[in-house]
Amino acid sequence: MHKLMRYIKGYEKQALLAPLFKMLEACFELFVPLVIASIIDTGIKNEDAAFIWTRCGLLVLLAAIGLASSLTAQWFSAKAALGFGTALRKDLFRHIGTLSYSELDGIGTPTLVTRMTSDINQVQSGLNLFLRLFLRSPFIVFGSIVMAFIVSPKAAVIFVVTIPLLSIVVFGIMLITMPLYRKVQGSLDGILGITRENLTGVRVIRAFGREEQEKDRFEEDNGLLVRSQLLVGKISALMNPLTYVMINLAVVVILNTGAVQIHLGNMQQGDVVALVNYMNQILIELVKLANLIIQVFVNELGTDTVAAWGTFAKIDAVYWMVVNAFGISITTFVGQNFGAGKVRRMRKSVGVCMVMAYAGALLVSGVLYALAGPLYRLFTTDEGVVRIGVDMMHFLLPSYFMYVVIGILSGALRGAGRVLVPMLLTCGGVCMIRIIWMFGVFPTHSGINTIMLSYPVSWGITAVLFIIYYFMKFPKKESQI
């Protein structure tokens, strides 16, 4: 890898500023749970509206500065990665031009084509990702641990135990799969070689009547490639559910420890919410890594689809910010009324929050649906990418309303002390169903629509399960608390 770093020459400033601005964004993000805790412990407790509005203004300011830092980091990282890819591709093309015919035959045209196109694109995307997450993810993880110690040293021990276990899972899976991915790359080169031989030597194959032998040869090598991809995909797919289970178990322990500490007078309600938010921030950073698994499948569908999918993830982040904000709010409100024994207010707040969340979700998704084309053109001028991206948004956005049920009901149930089952429903529904879909349906119906369909299918099933569990276990009267 250090040999490739010479191609970053001329873009050293951008490569340095990108992670620094990401780290600046992370700093502001770490202050958000403390501000929310102060709103709960001081503003809501004392019914001080002025204090609440002041802290809300501070949250907006932190969000604005964080957004500006993130956009600046994205611009620097994209410019550095693009310059790196251009220099690398130019040097590789020049080097190929110096090879003799015997060297070209030894390497093979399919391998050279793969190196010039998809491999360089992968390296370029990897550098872009590295520059954006190199400082942000570790800083968020370790920064959350530090902030947890500031909030409550006793509860922070949970973070100290959880983070090493998560690191073992994440890096263990990466170490296992990296050699397997190299094997997949070799099998792919072999398939390209056979395909080229069959195309260039089709007359000779027909003349000697070797069509069936060549078909069998291709099927054998293609079967090996498929088996290798499925093996590495199954191992990689373990990362998402394992990290979800570990994080949510840690949240269960935090809530239990927080309840004891609040009862003893050592902590306040806002402190527990802050600790849960810090654990969720760690989860988000790990999910970013785990979601790269789905990108492996997308990468098989062409560079335009890869670009469209990546841009779509940036655009729809606005929607998830809105829905997740309502989920956190209902957890806090239900938790406070649960402690006070006010079941009627708990149930009423769930209905009100559900209506507000649906209104916000429909408004945001409607705007994104209507402005899909112009939004994509903010990121790219390639009409092929824009067309695919608009189709993605028009396909997925109408189904986003299903996740509102999951976000609100899971938040309400956690606030009422029902933590374990919602965690299992989320992991089993959103994660496991999607993984089963990808390995059960995608191999026989490959395409971007198959990948996108896994989202509404998993959301729909999980939403139904949450509705059933909510009506079964959510308190209906004070005696059930």
Side-chain angles (χ1 to χ4, degrees):
M1 187 67 186
H2 67 280
K3 293 181 180 179
L4 293 176
M5 286 299 100
R6 61 192 177 96
Y7 296 105
I8 204 73
K9 186 177 181 180
Y11 296 91
E12 296 92 341
K13 182 176 69 174
Q14 290 85 346
L16 178 63
L17 290 175
L20 289 179
F21 273 99
K22 270 295 179 182
M23 187 172 70
L24 181 62
E25 176 202 357
C27 290
F28 290 110
E29 191 170 327
L30 288 172
F31 284 112
V32 170
L34 294 180
V35 178
I36 294 176
S38 69
I39 292 175
I40 296 171
D41 295 333
T42 303
I44 297 177
K45 181 179 179 180
N46 300 328
E47 298 183 355
D48 189 344
F51 183 88
I52 294 174
W53 282 111
T54 302
R55 289 298 184 269
C56 288
L58 179 59
L59 288 175
V60 172
L61 179 62
L62 290 173
I65 298 175
L67 177 61
S69 300
S70 178
L71 292 175
T72 305
Q74 182 67 38
W75 185 84
F76 281 127
S77 64
K79 189 170 183 179
L82 186 61
F84 170 86
T86 301
L88 178 58
R89 188 176 288 106
K90 181 179 179 180
D91 194 40
L92 180 58
F93 187 80
R94 180 197 58 77
H95 178 69
I96 292 174
T98 64
L99 298 177
S100 64
Y101 288 112
S102 60
E103 290 174 324
L104 290 173
D105 292 338
I107 298 173
T109 303
T111 300
L112 294 176
V113 172
T114 304
R115 300 295 177 267
M116 281 290 296
T117 53
S118 63
D119 284 358
I120 290 182
N121 288 336
Q122 291 282 357
V123 174
Q124 181 176 310
S125 300
L127 178 63
N128 194 356
L129 187 66
F130 175 80
L131 292 176
R132 288 186 286 116
L133 298 181
F134 173 58
L135 285 181
R136 175 185 166 79
S137 293
F139 190 82
I140 286 289
V141 172
F142 292 106
S144 295
I145 296 176
V146 173
M147 301 302 284
F149 271 102
I150 294 174
V151 174
S152 173
K154 291 184 178 179
V157 176
I158 302 169
F159 287 74
V160 176
V161 175
T162 304
I163 300 306
L165 293 176
L166 286 170
S167 301
I168 291 173
V169 171
V170 173
F171 291 105
I173 291 176
M174 290 176 62
L175 290 174
I176 293 172
T177 54
M178 284 172 62
L180 296 176
Y181 275 118
R182 295 192 190 99
K183 183 179 179 182
V184 169
Q185 183 64 53
S187 299
L188 179 60
D189 288 343
I191 289 292
L192 292 173
I194 293 173
T195 304
R196 180 176 177 275
E197 290 173 8
N198 288 334
L199 290 174
T200 57
V202 62
R203 293 182 180 179
V204 177
I205 293 172
R206 288 180 177 177
F208 287 92
R210 294 186 56 83
E211 292 95 332
E212 292 301 322
Q213 290 88 337
E214 289 299 321
K215 287 181 181 179
D216 292 340
R217 180 187 171 201
F218 179 86
E219 290 294 335
E220 181 181 353
D221 284 17
N222 188 57
L224 177 62
L225 175 62
V226 171
R227 289 191 296 272
S228 300
Q229 286 180 321
L230 288 176
L231 175 61
V232 70
K234 289 175 181 177
I235 296 174
S236 300
L238 293 172
M239 187 182 296
N240 209 327
L242 286 177
T243 53
Y244 261 100
V245 168
M246 295 175 69
I247 286 290
N248 281 283
L249 287 176
V251 170
V252 172
V253 178
I254 288 173
L255 292 175
N256 182 69
T257 304
V260 174
Q261 294 298 317
I262 291 173
H263 180 72
L264 295 174
N266 298 328
M267 289 179 61
Q268 294 182 322
Q269 292 177 335
D271 295 334
V272 178
V273 174
L275 291 173
V276 173
N277 284 338
Y278 283 128
M279 188 61 74
N280 286 332
Q281 285 183 349
I282 295 172
L283 174 61
I284 290 171
E285 295 305 315
L286 292 171
V287 166
K288 288 179 181 179
L289 182 61
N291 278 340
L292 292 177
I293 298 166
I294 202 84
Q295 191 69 38
V296 174
F297 292 97
V298 176
N299 288 346
E300 300 175 8
L301 305 176
T303 55
D304 285 352
T305 304
V306 173
W309 185 265
T311 304
F312 178 62
K314 297 181 180 68
I315 295 174
D316 81 332
V318 177
Y319 177 88
W320 299 115
M321 290 172 60
V322 174
V323 175
N324 291 333
F326 282 109
I328 294 172
S329 300
I330 193 63
T331 300
T332 304
F333 195 85
V334 168
Q336 289 178 329
N337 286 280
F338 181 77
K342 298 180 180 179
V343 174
R344 181 176 296 180
R345 291 189 66 185
M346 289 167 58
R347 299 184 68 85
K348 181 180 179 181
S349 66
V350 174
V352 172
C353 192
M354 187 74 74
V355 172
M356 294 174 63
Y358 265 115
L362 290 174
L363 176 62
V364 174
S365 58
V367 171
L368 295 178
Y369 191 98
L371 301 177
L375 287 173
Y376 258 90
R377 289 184 180 90
L378 293 175
F379 294 88
T380 179
T381 57
D382 189 327
E383 288 301 319
V385 175
V386 172
R387 178 182 55 79
I388 295 173
V390 171
D391 290 342
M392 287 180 181
M393 294 184 71
H394 288 174
F395 184 95
L396 275 178
L397 284 173
S399 65
Y400 272 26
F401 73 93
M402 289 186 286
Y403 191 83
V404 174
V405 176
I406 301 172
I408 301 304
L409 294 187
S410 64
L413 288 164
R414 285 197 299 270
R418 306 285 182 175
V419 179
L420 182 60
V421 174
M423 180 267 290
L424 295 175
L425 290 178
T426 302
C427 294
V430 176
C431 299
M432 294 306 299
I433 291 175
R434 198 171 297 168
I435 292 170
I436 293 171
W437 178 276
M438 292 306 301
F439 290 109
V441 179
F442 186 81
T444 55
H445 300 81
S446 60
I448 190 61
N449 285 344
T450 303
I451 294 177
M452 291 191 296
L453 192 59
S454 68
Y455 286 84
V457 168
S458 60
W459 291 335
I461 295 174
T462 308
V464 171
L465 294 175
F466 264 106
I467 291 172
I468 295 173
Y469 185 74
Y470 173 81
F471 282 108
M472 289 175 58
K473 296 297 182 180
F474 196 79
K476 299 180 179 62
K477 49 188 177 181
E478 280 76 6
S479 60
Q480 293 179 325
I481 294 181

